Amino acid sequence: MTTSTPIEHITVLGAGTMGSQIAAVCALSGYRTTLVDIAEEPLEQAKAQLRARLERDVAKSRRTAEDVAATWQRLQFATDRDAVVATTDFVIEAAVEDLAIKRQIFASLDAVAPAHAILATNSSNIVSSQIASATHRADKVCNMHFFNPALVMKCVEIVPHDGTSPQTMERTRALAESLGKEVVQLNREIPGFVANRLLNALRKEALNLIDQDIASPADIDKAARDALGHPMGPFELMDLVGLDVVYLIRLAEYEQTKEESSLPHPQIKQLYEAGRFGRKSGRGWYDYASA
Ligand code: 3HC
């Protein structure tokens, strides 16, 4: 096995919103894929959500029943991470945004993954240099960042750290392209990468406007949609991505910058602490219970 060993088996770690759809994208594109989580329950949830999503695609003639059946043949669900990773060519980690946990995960992956395997993180804010040093293969570690919902959004950001090898970048890029994604490749790492930094600038201003009671979240969202042509306004988007994710991303950025401006906005903290995570919990900026 060498660094040019073809990618046949992909492991996606973490069966949350991102991980489950990333795994589906890989399986739909023809890769044998295993979605791994530490518990059965999130795997069962992911399976049910993906089943509903793919059945809807068949009902709407976006995919054939044969394609979907073949995808299920390629997509496995497992809790035994070490056994799965031992036969994998490429890992995409989509676990919680917590540096200590990611470092632990990467150290364990490094111990069991074949020498040629690339270990990528889907983290949107934790740059891979912070994680690569937990492994003995820093040259094969990078960020490969998908967007929510991963089945729909076309972009993948690929971000090297100083020690990522050009071969790793090439292989990661080729994989993303084979998944039908458009690649935005950064020259060097920065927390938030490109898209989230752009999004954050808009979000900051939206929060600033509600702080001053200039307009309601609904009207600000309307302005983003109907004046700027964005598919969703910043508050709707936070509800889609999850206020828990938004909150943890801010904390992860603060850990890296130590700048107060990185900390979560007080209203985001309040929603997070109240368990109002957005669509996934039925309530965030908006109420989905009656929807
Ligand atoms: N999962 C998979 N597919 C979905 C989906 C989901 N959660 N939501 C919608 N879709 C697909 C479905 O195919 C749906 O068609 P269907 O209802 O006939 O099955 C189709 O998209 C259209 O959906 P809707 O009619 O419900 O609504 P929209 O036309 O507004 O599309 C959207 C939904 C694609 C989510 C669109 O609103 C959008 O692009 N929003 C912006 C998303 C965005 O900015 N994402 C980036 C977030 S930042 C991020 O991810 C960074 C990370 O680090 C946190």
Side-chain angles (χ1 to χ4, degrees):
M1 295 266 180
T2 68
T3 49
S4 58
T5 303
I7 295 168
E8 283 169 6
H9 178 208
I10 298 175
T11 300
V12 181
L13 291 185
T17 314
M18 292 305 292
S20 57
Q21 291 210 2
I22 293 169
V25 167
C26 296
L28 281 163
S29 304
Y31 293 99
R32 188 158 65 82
T33 306
T34 311
L35 179 60
V36 175
D37 205 293
I38 46 179
E40 289 288 349
E41 197 194 327
L43 290 171
E44 287 305 320
Q45 262 177 25
K47 212 181 281 184
Q49 279 165 8
L50 291 178
R51 200 172 291 283
R53 191 55 68 192
L54 296 180
E55 276 171 10
R56 192 178 165 90
D57 285 350
V58 174
K60 294 208 157 191
S61 304
R62 288 192 286 246
R63 304 180 199 281
T64 66
E66 292 72 31
D67 272 355
V68 169
T71 299
W72 283 113
Q73 290 293 317
R74 290 189 288 267
L75 185 54
Q76 306 294 316
F77 297 80
T79 51
D80 187 355
R81 183 179 71 197
D82 287 358
V84 171
V85 169
T87 64
T88 207
D89 306 302
F90 201 105
V91 178
I92 304 171
E93 172 273 320
V96 67
E97 289 284 275
D98 179 307
L99 178 58
I101 294 176
K102 287 193 194 291
R103 284 183 62 85
Q104 257 175 25
I105 292 175
F106 272 68
S108 315
L109 292 174
D110 185 41
V112 291
H116 70 274
I118 290 176
L119 310 179
T121 173
N122 175 56
S123 178
S124 47
N125 230 286
I126 299 177
V127 292
S128 70
S129 57
Q130 305 248 340
I131 305 173
S133 55
T135 75
H136 298 100
R137 62 175 89 197
D139 61 315
K140 296 193 185 68
V141 176
C142 67
N143 288 83
M144 182 183 193
H145 180 222
F146 292 76
F147 292 84
N148 186 343
L151 277 163
V152 178
M153 303 310 286
K154 286 207 187 83
C155 184
V156 168
E157 289 174 321
I158 300 181
V159 189
H161 64 87
D162 276 352
T164 307
S165 71
Q167 292 88 334
T168 296
M169 292 303 283
E170 272 163 37
R171 298 188 82 206
T172 306
R173 186 185 188 99
L175 172 63
E177 286 172 353
S178 74
L179 300 177
K181 299 298 186 188
E182 288 294 330
V183 172
V184 169
Q185 185 166 325
L186 274 68
N187 299 327
R188 59 190 177 87
E189 59 181 26
I190 182 169
F193 311 143
V194 170
N196 274 1
R197 291 182 80 90
L198 295 176
L199 178 59
N200 207 34
L202 181 75
R203 189 177 284 163
K204 261 194 181 150
E205 186 52 33
L207 290 162
N208 177 28
L209 290 172
I210 57 165
D211 278 348
Q212 298 180 64
D213 198 23
I214 302 289
S216 66
D219 275 317
I220 296 169
D221 279 345
K222 200 188 280 178
R225 280 195 315 272
D226 296 343
L228 305 177
H230 292 194
M232 281 183 168
F235 296 99
E236 295 167 306
L237 189 52
M238 280 188 258
D239 276 0
L240 173 76
V241 167
L243 269 307
D244 52 338
V245 174
V246 173
Y247 177 79
L248 292 172
I249 286 175
R250 296 280 92 231
L251 285 191
E253 184 175 306
Y254 177 73
E255 283 305 309
Q256 294 172 87
T257 63
K258 302 290 179 206
E259 284 169 15
E260 290 230 340
S261 62
S262 297
L263 281 169
H265 185 278
Q267 291 226 39
I268 290 179
K269 186 163 186 271
Q270 242 175 40
L271 291 172
Y272 173 78
E273 285 171 352
R276 285 172 55 178
F277 296 162
R279 287 195 192 183
K280 66 173 98 167
S281 70
R283 218 170 151 211
W285 291 103
Y286 295 95
D287 194 345
Y288 300 88
S290 50

